[in-house]
Amino acid sequence: MTFVTGEHVASVMADLTTFIGTRQEPTGPVETFSTDRSTETVDREIATEDTATILLRFDGGARGAVSISQISPGRKNSLVYEIDGSDGAWAWDSERPDEAWIGHRERPNEILIRNPALMNDAGQAAAALPGGHVEGFFDTFCAHFRAVYADVVAGRPSSSPGYPTFADGHDEMLVGDAIARSAREGRWVDVERSASAPSSAAPVETHA
């Protein structure tokens, strides 16, 4: 959401817990993105959390809520984002990647279907297929590398990169540290950033 809105997380209140204390670990190797399920497993005690509920306060005054779960039956890779404003709302679900939901107060809500012809320059640069052709998880890697190599060809990073920078990764680690501390201490924790720390890249308008 920082990438989409440009608003940085200022403080967090996190509750992390483990609901399933024993899981089944495959006895043999499992390939990344494999569609096969191992039939031979052993019990494995789990010491890390499998759910997280986090409240967020952003620098600009916005508030956020995050729910993360590894135990939701039927949810395989659902990443849902929603931004609510005074005039409308916008939501996107990775399990329906070609649709964006737009909420209104005084008129019917809308479902916007991905169509590069309706996108701005940033959206068109991230789209590889015309409208009516589904793009999903795999295509995000293609869009990522196109953005990176465009700056490689230019010889320098753009002023508003369409990809995460080292500074973005560092900022995410600071937020993660605050979340872990909040969960341990059971209180609001500020994200500790030094005054000289590099700021995250300016947001770009992305396509859903």
Side-chain angles (χ1 to χ4, degrees), residues 54-113:
I54 309 167
L55 299 178
L56 307 173
R57 292 174 178 168
F58 291 87
D59 284 337
R63 297 294 191 267
V66 182
S67 178
I68 303 170
S69 171
Q70 294 181 332
I71 60 171
S72 300
R75 295 295 185 186
K76 301 302 183 183
N77 190 38
S78 177
L79 303 176
V80 180
Y81 307 92
E82 181 168 333
I83 303 173
D84 299 330
S86 57
D87 296 327
W90 177 90
W92 179 79
D93 183 349
S94 66
E95 291 186 342
R96 303 176 68 90
D98 262 24
E99 297 180 3
W101 177 87
I102 305 173
H104 303 286
R105 296 186 188 279
E106 307 299 333
R107 56 191 175 94
N109 298 330
E110 300 174 84
I111 298 294
L112 179 63
I113 306 299

Side-chain angles (χ1 to χ4, degrees), residues 20-182:
I20 300 179
T22 302
R23 292 195 178 189
Q24 299 301 307
E25 179 182 3
T27 56
V30 177
E31 295 183 3
T32 302
F33 300 135
S34 172
T35 57
D36 296 327
R37 296 190 64 179
S38 177
T39 57
E40 297 183 4
T41 62
V42 295
D43 289 347
R44 176 67 65 188
E45 296 298 320
I46 301 298
T48 57
E49 65 278 352
D50 53 23
T51 60
T53 304
I54 309 167
L55 299 178
L56 307 173
R57 292 174 178 168
F58 291 87
D59 284 337
R63 297 294 191 267
V66 182
S67 178
I68 303 170
S69 171
Q70 294 181 332
I71 60 171
S72 300
R75 295 295 185 186
K76 301 302 183 183
N77 190 38
S78 177
L79 303 176
V80 180
Y81 307 92
E82 181 168 333
I83 303 173
D84 299 330
S86 57
D87 296 327
W90 177 90
W92 179 79
D93 183 349
S94 66
E95 291 186 342
R96 303 176 68 90
D98 262 24
E99 297 180 3
W101 177 87
I102 305 173
H104 303 286
R105 296 186 188 279
E106 307 299 333
R107 56 191 175 94
N109 298 330
E110 300 174 84
I111 298 294
L112 179 63
I113 306 299
R114 185 195 63 83
N115 184 353
L118 303 178
M119 296 178 183
N120 61 11
D121 292 341
Q124 290 179 358
L129 300 175
H133 297 76
V134 176
E135 289 186 279
F137 178 79
F138 176 79
D139 302 283
T140 63
F141 295 95
C142 301
H144 171 81
F145 287 117
R146 282 198 301 270
V148 170
Y149 282 113
D151 282 1
V152 171
V153 171
R156 62 185 182 280
S158 61
S159 59
S160 299
Y163 52 85
T165 65
F166 181 87
D168 296 319
H170 177 256
D171 194 75
E172 182 176 336
M173 296 301 293
L174 296 179
V175 174
D177 288 344
I179 289 172
R181 183 179 175 187
S182 173

